Amino acid sequence: KMWNEIPEGYEKWSYADLEDTFIHYHLIMLEYLTTVIMADATKAAGKLINKYVVVDDLSGATARGMMDLCYMIGLFKRTTIIDQLLYPELLGGLFFINSPQIFYKPWGLLSYIIDPETRKKIFLLGGEKSYKPILEKGFPKETLPRVWGGTNDKLEITDFENPKAVVFEKMHEYTVRNERAKDYSNLRTTPLEPVKISARKEEVIRKSIPAESVIEYEISVEGHDIEYSVSFEHRTDDGGKTESVSLEHPTKLESASIRHHGNFALSSQYPNGGDVVIKLSNKHAMMRSKTVYHRVIHYSSSD
């Protein structure tokens, strides 16, 4: 909706596709923040700017919206883990203002997955009497929009019902430039491929990989007790024989809705390329079939 258009085939997307899109967008947003916005702010201020503050106005939040938020908790959990591992100490503060009572329950479910030190930077504030003194103390008035008691009329304020696409268009332009520079613009745009595995059965996914490549593979499950292993079979110079290198030993995924990522760089030790082999087993199930989503991509190691 941010771009006033719906992706083709959206109605047929699985939860794994929605999860993949959400996380991909989140990573784009953080990369844009750290490589573009913070760099411009540092140059303009003449000093290092390496933190950001979020003010989220929950005016108009409905019970239905809070129910949808609960549904998205799994996604927020994944992005929170990503932020804490890959983008630590970027958050200066997060302020929820005009927070309705119905927000406190989903927030209680979300807060337990957030690092305790990060939780100290997050504030739930009520109406104007609650948030205005806090914002006035923490921000110069010229940096705040008038709707929050400031004097700035130039800020781009957007909302769900009437989104303004200016910021998102800038992010899109930045992403396209980056994709073209890396020459892998189409690699991650295809949805994950589903494979249905009957009880007590096994499926094998195989993809050929050229030499001097970096391999990335993803596995997403919607049912527990799926076992998987990943290996790389490379061709030798000795009569065309193949040898197998274990990338991941057989591992049992105990929980549903798990996304697993892995990667492997082909060194000069494998001059003839080879095949990535992913074995998916549903041998622990007595009757139930399960669906696993997967994707294998590769790009030149020189990128």
Side-chain angles (χ1 to χ4, degrees), residues 125-293:
L125 305 174
E128 190 172 306
K129 290 182 180 180
S130 174
Y131 73 75
K132 256 195 174 182
I134 303 294
L135 296 187
E136 288 175 356
K137 184 177 180 180
F139 304 91
K141 280 199 171 186
E142 60 270 20
T143 66
L144 293 172
R146 291 189 183 276
V147 69
W148 295 339
T151 60
N152 194 324
D153 294 319
K154 297 181 180 180
L155 292 176
E156 290 291 340
I157 305 296
T158 189
D159 59 66
F160 182 78
E161 294 300 329
N162 185 30
K164 296 180 181 178
V166 175
V167 175
F168 302 102
E169 287 170 354
K170 289 181 180 178
M171 290 171 56
H172 179 68
E173 291 171 3
Y174 162 78
T175 305
V176 170
R177 287 198 305 270
N178 185 52
E179 287 176 340
R180 288 172 179 168
K182 295 293 185 180
D183 195 29
Y184 56 66
S185 60
N186 293 320
L187 289 177
R188 297 175 180 85
T189 57
T190 54
L192 281 77
E193 298 180 31
V195 56
K196 189 171 184 179
I197 309 173
S198 301
R200 317 293 292 179
K201 299 295 183 180
E202 181 181 274
E203 292 287 340
V204 178
I205 311 300
R206 180 182 294 270
K207 184 165 184 176
S208 296
I209 307 296
E212 297 183 359
S213 295
V214 175
I215 307 163
E216 294 184 14
Y217 53 89
E218 301 172 52
I219 302 167
S220 179
V221 302
E222 292 187 347
H224 68 285
D225 286 352
I226 287 289
E227 187 174 285
Y228 75 94
S229 65
V230 184
S231 61
F232 177 67
E233 295 182 356
H234 64 98
R235 293 175 283 277
T236 67
D237 293 326
D238 184 16
K241 295 181 180 179
T242 60
E243 294 181 353
S244 181
V245 177
S246 178
L247 304 184
E248 295 199 49
H249 297 295
T251 303
K252 184 179 175 183
L253 296 173
E254 299 288 355
S255 302
S257 297
I258 290 292
R259 167 70 60 82
H260 177 76
H261 298 256
N263 62 73
F264 180 64
L266 302 189
S267 64
S268 57
Q269 184 179 354
Y270 311 109
N272 301 314
D275 293 346
V276 171
V277 180
I278 302 176
K279 293 183 179 180
L280 304 168
S281 173
N282 193 22
K283 66 181 181 180
H284 301 287
M286 297 300 295
M287 300 177 61
R288 182 184 170 195
S289 298
K290 293 165 190 169
T291 300
V292 180
Y293 298 86

Side-chain angles (χ1 to χ4, degrees), residues 49-63:
I49 304 295
N50 61 355
K51 292 185 182 295
Y52 69 98
V53 174
V54 176
V55 180
D56 200 341
D57 191 339
L58 299 180
S59 298
T62 63

